[in-house]
Amino acid sequence: MIKEIKTIVQNYINNAKLCNIAMGTVESGGIRMSEKIVIPNELIKGNLKNHTSLGDKVNLIRNHGGKEYYIFEIIDKDVIGKGSTVTLSRDGSSYEYKVEEVV
């Protein structure tokens, strides 16, 4: 009987879908995790969500049960923050600006 209880508990833990890290690609309707799975935008959270562009690769944390995903990294993309310097080019000239406020 103990062996059966251990098996039941182990199966529950394996299927509970505890918090884990996943990677996906940003699309218009959400984040594509695989050929068949797209996480809708309504389930995506985090302040980096507003800094993603179509085609960006992102790392996410999926919460227990998969009802919410949090973007914690945009892979190979620099996010501009307060104190950083931005260089813009126009008509062959480059201009540097220091970021003083981020809205």
Side-chain angles (χ1 to χ4, degrees), residues 19-68:
C19 183
N20 72 350
I21 295 175
M23 186 164 81
T25 304
V26 177
E27 293 185 348
S28 60
I31 297 179
R32 181 166 296 281
M33 307 298 281
S34 68
E35 283 187 31
K36 297 181 181 181
I37 299 173
V38 176
I39 306 303
N41 284 326
E42 297 80 39
L43 299 181
I44 309 296
K45 307 292 182 207
N47 56 1
L48 288 179
K49 179 179 178 180
N50 296 331
H51 298 284
T52 59
S53 304
L54 294 177
D56 282 346
K57 302 272 189 225
V58 294
N59 278 322
L60 307 124
I61 296 174
R62 184 192 73 198
N63 75 350
H64 179 76
K67 303 243 184 216
E68 186 175 64

Side-chain angles (χ1 to χ4, degrees), residues 84-89 93-99:
S84 61
T85 302
V86 177
T87 303
L88 301 175
S89 297
S93 298
S94 294
Y95 305 92
E96 285 192 359
Y97 299 94
K98 184 170 181 167
V99 179

